[in-house]
Amino acid sequence: MIRFTESGKKYADTIISELRKAEQSVAAEIGVARMKQLNENMALFVKLFSNAGGIKNNETDPFEMIGCSCLGAYFKNASGVHTLAVSTHVGMFQDSVLCTDAGIVDFRYFPDNAGLPVIKTYHASANINVILVKNRGCVDISLNNIVCKAKSVTRLEKGCFSEEKLLSPDAYDGKRMLSGWMGE
């Protein structure tokens, strides 16, 4: 979590308030109906753009990367394509990246940007069969000792990444031994 200092809050508020005024001015000029249509068109564009990006195939779980940074993560199952929330978990000894959609899928890894970007997965939900790593960067990535070449797509089969275990951190499918007891 990022917390601003008092001076940082004042500085950010001046920028945000000016942007908000500009947004409200444009919205007032365009009108509510056209703003709603704009939002619907953008949602359709994002959906079609995602499908055109190679996530039509049922076995693909694309992760778009530059270095150890995840730009976007998607998971497809019978109910459709899910855009995963990508967040950083600040750990006591090492931070990790979480790509999740509660109740659907959970994928976690440790990033290491020292030298060649290295990613070590420590958890993947049992329903992840294949991961496609789209490395959009100019540098190769090592994911669990498998090189994902720059500006290319690398296919990782189940077994190449850490799978769900009894004491895994997620409870997307109720398999975790301590779920319920830990207050979820």
Side-chain angles (χ1 to χ4, degrees), residues 22-81:
E23 179 185 37
Q24 288 172 337
S25 171
V26 169
E29 191 170 329
I30 288 176
V32 174
R34 289 177 74 191
M35 284 297 292
K36 184 177 177 183
Q37 183 180 16
L38 175 67
N39 289 335
E40 290 168 355
N41 288 338
M42 278 308 297
L44 178 61
F45 174 82
V46 168
K47 179 181 176 183
L48 296 174
F49 186 82
S50 295
N51 287 340
I55 55 178
K56 295 177 194 171
N57 187 331
N58 286 336
E59 67 179 6
T60 61
D61 304 309
F63 289 84
E64 299 179 63
M65 310 289 294
I66 291 182
C68 293
S69 299
C70 185
L71 302 177
Y74 311 91
F75 178 74
K76 184 167 186 175
N77 63 8
S79 65
V81 176

Side-chain angles (χ1 to χ4, degrees), residues 4 6-19:
F4 290 115
E6 282 303 313
S7 61
K9 284 181 191 176
K10 288 177 185 174
Y11 178 71
D13 284 345
T14 61
I15 295 170
I16 291 169
S17 66
E18 288 301 313
L19 289 172

Side-chain angles (χ1 to χ4, degrees), residues 136-173:
R136 294 185 173 212
C138 299
V139 178
D140 295 348
I141 301 169
S142 173
L143 194 151
N144 294 346
N145 299 317
I146 297 170
V147 176
C148 302
K149 294 284 188 191
K151 300 197 181 296
S152 66
V153 176
T154 304
R155 179 186 172 95
L156 300 172
E157 303 280 341
K158 188 172 256 196
C160 294
F161 46 89
S162 297
E163 296 179 38
E164 187 173 39
K165 306 208 177 31
L166 187 60
L167 295 175
S168 289
D170 84 314
Y172 91 95
D173 60 1

